[in-house]
Amino acid sequence: RLVFSDQVHETVIRKITEEDAGKGITRESDITETDGLMTNVKDLPLITFYADCVPLLFVDPVHHAIGCSHSGWRGTVGEMGKKTVEAMREAYGSCPEDIFAAIGPSICQDCYEVGKDVAEPFEKLFSQERYQDVSLKNILTEKVNGKYQLDLWRANEAILLGAGILKEHLSMTDICTCCNPGYLFSHRASKGKRGNLAAFLMLKQ
């Protein structure tokens, strides 16, 4: 009954129903180019994959719905967390203040060096009025070599709080995949020679 994502570093979120059970493991899947899954069906496990990118997990205990999203730098600057909250509200009536969210193990700021091509979209995003209380210097640190250190954890935290998730309902990791390649798969640490971590999320009967 597992349902797998098909991730392409975008912000498409798919509503998963009973008809999708087993897609990607026991039968062929038509779930394509999808980085987020959500459902209100019990005993239907949602599976997403990671190897430095950020797992975003959502549970709405009021409307009994869950969401599981993959957020790399493209997904983060595309506000994947906010879009998942909005998709759950539209599909299930979820209120952001009722949702419990988690930012899972992924690459930390110290390990994540990026160029100007990645830094500029983040500068543009966090210069918008709705993020006026967010300190960009906590998310993006410029180095002397023209490179930047990017904090995907704090960026996703700001996006989720901006989407209405309550701070007391948000858990954020302190575990870096790249710092712990002996335990966790890291694309950067292995230079692409790695497997995948998986996030499993399911509503119980």
Side-chain angles (χ1 to χ4, degrees):
R1 289 177 60 77
L2 305 179
V3 182
F4 291 86
S5 58
D6 178 49
Q7 296 159 198
V8 291
H9 296 276
E10 295 294 342
T11 57
V12 173
I13 300 146
R14 175 152 169 166
K15 181 179 180 180
I16 301 301
T17 67
E18 181 65 33
E19 287 68 36
D20 296 310
K23 285 184 178 178
I25 187 164
T26 58
R27 59 197 182 101
E28 191 172 340
S29 179
D30 60 354
I31 300 171
T32 59
E33 299 184 356
T34 300
D35 283 73
L37 306 174
M38 61 181 182
T39 194
N40 64 350
V41 180
K42 293 180 174 61
D43 292 330
L44 193 60
L46 307 182
I47 319 295
T48 45
F49 300 98
Y50 311 87
D52 282 338
C53 293
V54 183
L56 300 177
L57 309 177
F58 303 84
V59 177
D60 176 359
V62 177
H63 295 85
H64 305 288
I66 56 174
C68 197
S69 292
H70 163 266
S71 188
W73 78 260
R74 288 184 180 86
T76 300
V77 84
E79 299 179 290
M80 184 56 154
K82 178 175 181 282
K83 288 179 179 176
T84 306
V85 170
E86 291 172 346
M88 290 178 67
R89 180 168 54 195
E90 183 176 343
Y92 311 118
S94 297
C95 298
E97 58 268 25
D98 293 329
I99 295 173
F100 287 80
I103 298 168
S106 39
I107 196 166
C108 74
Q109 184 174 26
D110 288 344
C111 291
Y112 198 32
E113 183 183 83
V114 300
K116 188 68 174 175
D117 60 321
V118 175
E120 283 182 342
F122 281 88
E123 291 171 342
K124 183 177 179 181
L125 173 65
F126 288 105
S127 68
Q128 296 181 38
E129 186 177 348
R130 67 178 179 276
Y131 292 121
Q132 61 182 341
D133 296 330
V134 176
S135 176
L136 181 61
K137 66 181 181 182
N138 291 332
I139 294 169
L140 199 63
T141 303
E142 187 172 2
K143 301 169 71 175
V144 294
N145 61 357
K147 299 289 187 178
Y148 298 78
Q149 297 298 136
L150 175 60
D151 192 334
L152 290 177
W153 299 347
R154 288 191 182 278
N156 278 285
E157 178 188 39
I159 289 164
L160 291 171
L161 294 175
I165 300 292
L166 300 179
K167 193 167 184 63
E168 59 267 31
H169 288 177
L170 178 59
S171 298
M172 186 163 67
T173 189
D174 61 357
I175 300 171
C176 172
T177 46
C178 194
C179 287
N180 296 280
Y183 300 96
L184 302 169
F185 289 118
S186 168
H187 187 83
R188 284 220 168 184
S190 68
K191 295 180 171 56
K193 298 177 181 178
R194 47 79 178 175
N196 275 327
L197 302 168
F200 292 70
L201 198 61
M202 183 182 78
L203 289 165
K204 286 293 292 177
Q205 288 284 3

